[in-house]
Amino acid sequence: MKKVLVTGGAGFIGSHTCVELAAAGFEPIIVDDLRNSEERAIDGIARIVGRKPAVHRIDCCDEAAMERMFQGEGPIHGAIHFAADKAVGESVADPLKYYHNNIGSLVLLLRLMKKHEVNRIVFSSSCTVYGQPERLPVTETAPDRNAMSPYGFTKIACEQMLRDTTASDPPLKAVLLRYFNPVGAHPSALIGELPLGVPNNLVPFVTQTAAGLRKQLTVFGNDYDTPDGSCIRDYIHVVDLAKAHVRALQWMEDGPVSCDVFNIGTGKGNSVFEVINAFKEATSTPLPYVVGPRRAGDTTAVYADTTKSRDVLGWTPALTLNDALRDAWRWQLALKP
Ligand code: UD1
């Protein structure tokens, strides 16, 4: 079986990707020090795929440990690099943490990949690179808005690093996936999102509120220039997103392009109020909410043009927002003691 290194493989998107890699006949090798994830994610992967994946509990910035891991594993087919910090607000307060972890880990990974002749990488980028796009749906050719946050800037810097290294080192191929808003959980309810503390993101806050762990959801602003006044995002089911990574690896096996970038979203925008209504519809569960002020740094509306990911990568999402909310809710219920 072809080994695929999955940094951050115990995380939300990483764990779902390990499951889809195994289903497609690859062997995921997880590199994760569990700083933002839990052992139960690895147990969940093992239960879904029927065997425990290899796990290296190491920091992706620890050169000696990473070198030992590469030596010990032998030939590796490709790498998927999820390991990164992702809280926008924290990145403003502590930018060096983000520059070190997010950019430093990719520098080290690329050096070791070259040394050990690993020539394929899939990178987790984000629609945050677009800021508020001038035209919607946003295409991959829209300009970067790198000043949005240090977190956003690390994504732009890492994308550029991959363009530069693939240009200087021809055997290396890279696929940059710009995720829109990943939501949902595996339909088995064995893996899902495990937010630390109070969730920043909408869907975990929704499910925790419906479960009674939070008093109410606050809708961050109803005075945006959108049909119902709340912000619009493109919510993509994490299982569809995970499958995009497998597709990207396969595409690099025969794709002629050395580095390319794809939007990974549904192509459909939904407002916060639409998410609230869809949650109620999908789960028949009440959701108390109030309308509060805008959250600093939020953009009004972002959703993907998915033409390129469909026509060039050959990937299309199969699941709906209602599927994602139903699965997120089942996961929330499974988490209850
Ligand atoms: C956020 C980050 C983005 C990052 C992504 C990672 C910001 C500005 N953006 O995306 O860079 O890649 O997380 O997952 O932080 N909302 C509420 N109430 C809540 C929570 C959210 O109304 O309690 C609204 C927000 O205003 C937004 C939408 O729900 O309109 C989605 O918010 P969220 O899940 O935090 O994602 P983004 O802000 O789009």
Side-chain angles (χ1 to χ4, degrees), residues 86-89 125-129 148-149 151-152 155 179-183 193 199-206 217-221 224 230-233 235 271-272 294-300 302:
K86 62 157 198 170
V88 173
S125 191
S126 166
C127 69
T128 197
V129 302
M148 291 298 288
S149 70
Y151 161 76
K155 293 297 175 193
Y179 313 153
F180 284 67
N181 287 56
V183 292
E193 199 165 0
N200 287 317
N201 295 117
L202 178 62
V203 171
F205 206 102
V206 163
L217 168 74
T218 302
V219 176
F220 294 146
Y224 284 94
S230 66
C231 294
I232 292 174
R233 297 288 183 273
Y235 296 93
S271 72
V272 179
R294 291 181 176 199
R295 177 172 69 177
D298 271 345
T299 47
T300 303
V302 191

